[in-house]
Amino acid sequence: MAEAKSERLINLLLMLLSARTPVTRNRIRQVRYPDLGEAAFDKAFERDKEELRALGVPVEVAPIDAYFDDEVGYRVRPERLAIDPVTFTPAEATVVGLAARLWGEATMSGAATAGSLKLRSAGVVHEQEGAGLEGLGDPLVAGAGRIGASEAAFGTLLPAVLERQAVTFEYRKSPAVDARRRQVQPWALSRYAGRWYLLAFDTEVEERRLFRLSRIVGQVRTRGRTGAYVIPDDLEVSGVKVRPDATPEPTVASVLLREGAAPGLRAMATAVESGVPGPDGDPWDRVHLAADLYWLADTVLRLGDRAVAESPRELRDDVIRRLQSAARA
Amino acid sequence: MSAAVGATAQVTRLMTLVPLLERSDGLTLRQASDLLGVSVDRVLADLRVLWMCGLPGGMVDDLIAVNIEALATDEGFGSAIPDAVIHIDNAGPLTSPARLSPTEATALLAALGSMRLDATGPAVDVLDTVIGKIRAASAVAGGDDRPGLVEPGAGRRNTAEVAGAAAVESAIAGGVAVEFDYYVPSRDEKRQRTVDPWHLVDREGLLYLVGHCHAAGDRRTFRVDRMSDARSTERPATHPEQPSSAAEDFFDDATLPVATLRLGPGAHWVAEYYPTEAMRRVAPDVIEVDLRIGDERWLAALMRRLGTTAELLGPEVLVQSSQAAAAKALALYR
């Protein structure tokens, strides 16, 4: 099945590539689709032409006659299909190879590999094993399969963004509300802290909105033609940051830990006093560190009776208030 | 249909392979298979397609000539001999390397952009140069191929995760067990584990090891950033992969008790963050969720963190243990 279709696509490509002037639909049908009737040909040719375009082949539509545009033909100009000359140093070539392995999501992984192969087939990459890696430092910067996309919606939204095609989906804004149908023009996909977000123009409320992919319920469906809209230059959402700020300001704090408790907090410490008298009379350790207070309160609460928040006051009060509630005291 | 078998993937491979063959003056089947990342048989199947392709004259001279050393017969190709050399002739316009498709350019540029966010020193300059070159080489004049529409963000920089992943990957590659100290926050406890590793899974940005835990004698999942001192051993991994009961949820276990939590607005994240058995809206801003509880200490820690924003409704035994744990911690503040 796949072989027959591949053969049809390549033969169509060769015909369009080798034509000096645009080829009429009739001629294409006679030569490449001789067994198909009119309707079947229209359908097959439309699909094949779009598949070639998705592969990066610039299939052009142009008038056959320079003076009359009532009949159009198709062609692929070799100079537009061919990649522009480019050369890579060994270090740069290594970086391309690493980038090609970075995606853990199947569509993007396949596309990145195919793209790096095309660069290689252009005869411009001078490969040299290992070169240029030193500067990358952290090996997981380039860890294979590092960029995942477990959200089911990603697979449909990605081509929709790239091809400017509107979509609809059911979206649950928060767990406390029912899912509601949205009709949007997808603009951009962005990942933060392992989660993918879609920036899109909601055509019903006529405003730009940010959607979290994991809150999309069920299938994403494409609507209408491709190339249906233009994505604006500025991709900010009013009042919403596409990329939330990662780290709040750290505050200096001190926490008492039981002996041996919380290796993670100890690793962050700026100073540790061992064997100080604890709240229960046993010797504890006092750990000084700088951290986001909300995160630190969460961590102390997680540790239960193995940690006590000492200072600042607001940290201690927050912990006590939450413990009282949980103890129903 | 797998990705390697589809017509689109096949045509992409052929558009890549033909210029490579043209330039290299012949490759072996094995070399082509390594380059394309598919099996030798798949390369042969790809070439068989080319055999039937050519310019639209339909004459023998118009066809692409594929020649695999001592293999091409009147019937086509015989069985795959990896060292056989492939030659190609008459491929005409297909021999120019093709431009990257929008998806290909986006996938590479997004990956490079992500690497750039984490890179330091001279690597930043190398990445910038590569990004610029690929963008220039793949751009279609007048085309609508804006960069930056897909942004994966920065990668991991947690050193524990880096070291853990490296050790696990090397153990998987070597078919041996991996050893590490594993920290469990709900128990504030660190213990050594030996695991026959099956695979690393990326879930919402966190990396997990799935494998056979020797201590538990069963399939277990470990968060890689909670490992320390991970190293691959000499001991061959002997436990083959067990299929997961539900591919989606590797924390699933129907034998565990179910707790019911009432969540106010500040605690709604729980319903999204943890896999829930059921969810009910009981008031405009209040929901109830059922969660499977593997460890009552984990639940008690969650309730302490949620504080005033949530209430544990049952079962009674878990309510008691959870409140007792909070009271014990609270006693330290008197």
Side-chain angles (χ1 to χ4, degrees):
Chain A
M1 251 339 261
E3 269 74 17
K5 187 173 173 190
S6 303
E7 187 186 312
R8 206 171 67 226
L9 288 174
I10 289 187
N11 273 327
L12 177 61
L13 173 61
L14 280 169
M15 182 180 194
L16 298 178
L17 261 177
S18 60
R20 281 190 200 86
T21 55
V23 195
T24 62
R25 290 176 80 94
N26 263 341
R27 174 85 184 134
I28 293 169
R29 183 180 161 195
Q30 275 168 18
V31 175
R32 290 309 193 203
Y33 303 82
D35 304 331
L36 297 185
E38 189 77 37
F41 162 72
D42 280 347
K43 212 171 141 197
F45 177 59
E46 279 310 310
R47 203 182 42 217
D48 290 352
K49 179 161 65 70
E50 286 315 310
E51 295 211 5
L52 284 179
R53 282 185 177 145
L55 288 167
V57 176
V59 179
E60 290 177 30
V61 186
I64 304 281
D65 185 312
Y67 300 102
F68 297 92
D69 59 3
D70 54 345
E71 194 184 10
V72 294
Y74 300 85
R75 71 170 164 189
V76 176
R77 282 189 279 178
E79 69 275 16
R80 290 199 66 202
L81 174 63
I83 191 165
D84 294 337
V86 58
T87 53
F88 291 114
T89 66
E92 291 164 2
T94 307
V95 162
V96 174
L98 291 172
R101 299 164 54 240
L102 216 57
W103 282 93
E105 191 274 332
T107 310
M108 289 302 251
S109 169
T113 307
S116 74
L117 278 171
K118 277 187 181 171
L119 290 172
R120 195 194 294 238
S121 76
V124 291
V125 175
H126 314 289
E127 192 99 28
Q128 188 177 306
E129 201 66 40
L133 277 170
E134 322 79 45
L136 282 175
D138 182 339
L140 267 201
V141 167
R146 168 167 83 60
I147 309 173
S150 50
E151 296 94 335
F154 187 87
T156 314
L157 289 173
L158 171 73
V161 165
L162 296 179
E163 290 165 27
R164 320 289 194 262
Q165 190 173 22
V167 298
T168 59
F169 51 77
E170 300 276 320
Y171 189 73
R172 190 192 299 277
K173 197 174 172 189
S174 93
V177 299
D178 290 330
R180 194 162 64 73
R181 189 175 181 75
R182 309 297 177 104
Q183 195 169 318
V184 307
Q185 297 173 342
W187 283 354
L189 287 160
S190 175
R191 193 176 71 141
Y192 177 76
R195 294 197 170 100
W196 282 96
Y197 297 82
L198 169 72
L199 175 61
F201 185 76
D202 188 319
T203 47
E204 276 163 347
V205 297
E206 300 200 327
E207 262 179 52
R208 49 181 75 186
R209 289 281 153 86
L210 192 66
F211 301 95
R212 193 160 118 186
L213 265 61
S214 60
R215 290 178 176 168
I216 292 176
V217 182
Q219 293 255 312
V220 176
R221 294 179 200 285
T222 55
R223 275 174 73 102
R225 61 184 179 88
T226 58
Y229 52 91
V230 175
I231 298 172
D233 286 333
D234 85 290
L235 288 181
E236 294 302 307
V237 194
S238 59
V240 188
K241 276 189 181 151
V242 179
R243 201 176 285 286
D245 282 330
T247 38
E249 221 30 51
T251 307
V252 175
S254 80
V255 172
L256 288 176
L257 296 177
R258 259 187 223 281
E259 200 183 334
L265 280 185
R266 288 167 191 272
M268 293 168 63
T270 51
V272 181
E273 301 166 49
S274 300
V276 301
D280 58 355
D282 290 345
W284 288 48
D285 299 329
R286 178 175 291 121
V287 172
H288 300 270
L289 73 169
D292 166 44
L293 286 189
Y294 193 80
W295 174 85
L296 191 55
D298 266 359
T299 306
V300 167
L301 285 159
R302 235 187 223 133
L303 289 162
D305 64 351
R306 296 168 63 76
V308 170
E310 276 199 319
S311 70
R313 180 93 218 172
E314 52 183 308
L315 170 69
R316 194 175 162 89
D317 289 349
D318 182 18
V319 170
I320 292 174
R321 203 182 60 243
R322 289 201 250 170
L323 282 176
Q324 284 169 337
S325 174
R328 292 284 173 260
Chain B
M1 184 161 47
S2 89
V5 185
T8 310
Q10 188 164 46
V11 172
T12 303
R13 284 198 300 275
L14 286 169
M15 285 170 69
T16 304
L17 185 57
V18 172
L20 276 173
L21 289 170
E22 176 80 7
R23 265 197 323 113
S24 61
D25 195 27
L27 291 172
T28 66
L29 275 175
R30 195 199 310 276
Q31 284 170 328
S33 124
D34 287 347
L35 278 170
L36 297 172
V38 294
S39 69
V40 166
D41 285 335
R42 187 111 294 282
V43 175
L44 260 189
D46 290 352
L47 291 168
R48 207 171 282 138
V49 169
L50 271 194
W51 190 253
M52 302 307 293
C53 293
L55 295 176
M59 312 296 285
V60 174
D61 284 354
D62 292 324
L63 288 175
I64 295 175
V66 182
N67 179 11
I68 301 183
E69 236 178 25
L71 266 185
T73 67
D74 289 344
E75 294 90 52
F77 302 124
S79 59
I81 298 175
D83 291 324
V85 180
I86 319 160
H87 288 285
I88 194 153
D89 211 358
N90 214 24
L94 274 189
T95 53
S96 305
R99 199 176 288 282
L100 272 57
S101 75
T103 314
E104 290 162 358
T106 300
L108 277 179
L109 290 171
L112 289 162
S114 174
M115 285 164 76
R116 194 192 178 288
L117 288 173
D118 291 326
T120 50
V124 174
D125 295 334
V126 176
L127 285 161
D128 280 342
T129 314
V130 172
I131 288 168
K133 283 180 177 179
I134 293 183
R135 207 170 268 169
S138 57
V140 179
D144 186 13
D145 52 352
R146 278 200 33 200
L149 294 181
V150 179
E151 298 215 328
R156 285 183 291 264
R157 271 185 284 195
N158 182 323
T159 46
E161 201 169 21
V162 172
V168 170
E169 274 172 1
S170 117
I172 292 175
V176 293
V178 60
E179 262 176 23
F180 49 87
D181 293 330
Y182 192 65
Y183 179 68
V184 182
S186 60
R187 297 198 282 271
D188 188 29
E189 168 191 283
K190 198 183 239 187
R191 276 207 317 216
Q192 202 197 60
R193 311 283 184 134
T194 306
V195 174
D196 287 1
W198 298 333
H199 40 85
L200 283 168
V201 190
D202 189 312
R203 208 170 127 128
E204 303 225 317
L206 287 173
L207 205 56
Y208 296 84
L209 159 67
V210 185
H212 176 92
C213 174
H214 288 212
D218 202 359
R219 176 196 176 93
R220 286 289 183 274
T221 303
F222 301 92
R223 251 176 78 163
V224 175
D225 66 344
R226 290 184 180 158
M227 298 178 180
S228 53
D229 202 16
R231 65 253 165 220
S232 62
T233 64
E234 309 268 284
R235 202 183 315 177
T238 50
H239 296 86
E241 178 167 355
Q242 302 292 314
S244 156
S245 48
E248 177 60 19
D249 238 313
F250 44 94
F251 303 103
D252 211 32
D253 187 346
T255 63
L256 296 174
V258 174
T260 301
L261 281 70
R262 179 171 290 170
L263 306 172
H268 283 171
W269 62 270
V270 171
E272 290 185 290
Y273 198 78
Y274 301 110
T276 55
E277 295 289 305
M279 183 162 72
R280 297 168 295 279
R281 186 148 36 118
V282 294
D285 249 349
V286 181
I287 50 177
E288 283 181 12
V289 292
D290 296 338
L291 289 177
R292 283 211 185 274
I293 306 301
D295 182 343
E296 65 177 36
R297 285 170 294 189
W298 176 87
L299 177 64
L302 176 66
M303 296 316 298
R304 290 196 296 273
R305 285 164 61 202
L306 292 175
T308 54
T309 61
E311 189 184 348
L312 179 57
L313 300 179
E316 192 52 32
V317 57
L318 289 177
V319 175
Q320 294 293 344
S321 62
S322 171
Q323 288 181 0
K328 209 169 153 197
L330 187 61
L332 297 171
Y333 289 85
R334 289 192 179 126

